[in-house]
Amino acid sequence: MHAIMLKAKLHRAQVTHSVLDYEGSCAIDGDWLDLAGIREYEQIQIYNVDNGERFTTYAIRGEEGSKIISVNGAAAHKAAVGHRLIICAYAHYSEAELASFKPHVLYMGADGELSHTSNAIPVQVA
């Protein structure tokens, strides 16, 4: 049996560009893609924290160090500059792989900078 699990997440990434007249996709700073383990052209799910929109597209590599998050094409209707996004990639894992499975999570600060990374999602206690 295989399970579909969260592979990587950029938590609260800030949209820097929203370009309607583009072929599509989401450009992400290449350094962040590498840290998260997301490949160029890999399918990603995007959840807009500010307006509740959820959509699927693919990642394209932005210039390293640019801090770019550019939502392009039709998806530009779903995210504006300044919006906060949760960007996720998922993968299929075998039971054997699940024994050591940990997602790569990048947490972004209010200033659009990378705050910290983790290989586990913290559990919040009420």
Side-chain angles (χ1 to χ4, degrees):
M1 179 186 333
H2 282 85
I4 300 171
M5 305 292 288
L6 177 68
K7 171 187 162 185
K9 176 171 90 162
L10 281 75
H11 188 74
R12 296 180 66 85
Q14 186 173 341
V15 177
T16 60
H17 299 78
S18 184
V19 185
L20 184 60
D21 294 322
Y22 188 84
E23 66 185 57
S25 69
C26 180
I28 301 170
D29 181 314
D31 291 334
W32 295 343
L33 287 179
D34 292 343
L35 280 170
I38 298 173
R39 297 172 186 242
E40 186 169 26
Y41 306 114
E42 184 172 349
Q43 179 177 300
I44 54 176
Q45 300 289 322
I46 298 180
Y47 314 119
N48 189 323
V49 173
D50 293 305
N51 67 15
E53 291 282 357
R54 299 167 73 92
F55 53 98
T56 304
T57 188
Y58 59 93
I60 58 173
R61 188 174 195 85
E63 182 179 338
E64 286 78 4
S66 66
K67 299 177 182 63
I68 191 169
I69 299 290
S70 182
V71 180
N72 304 318
H77 289 289
K78 298 181 176 285
V81 171
H83 281 184
R84 295 290 177 168
L85 307 178
I86 299 170
I87 302 171
C88 297
Y90 298 88
H92 292 258
Y93 294 90
S94 69
E95 288 296 320
E97 291 170 314
L98 289 173
S100 61
F101 165 78
K102 297 273 191 243
H104 297 280
V105 184
L106 280 62
Y107 293 91
M108 313 310 281
D111 56 1
E113 297 282 333
L114 176 63
S115 167
H116 63 285
T117 64
S118 174
N119 67 353
I121 298 172
V123 176
Q124 300 211 356
V125 179

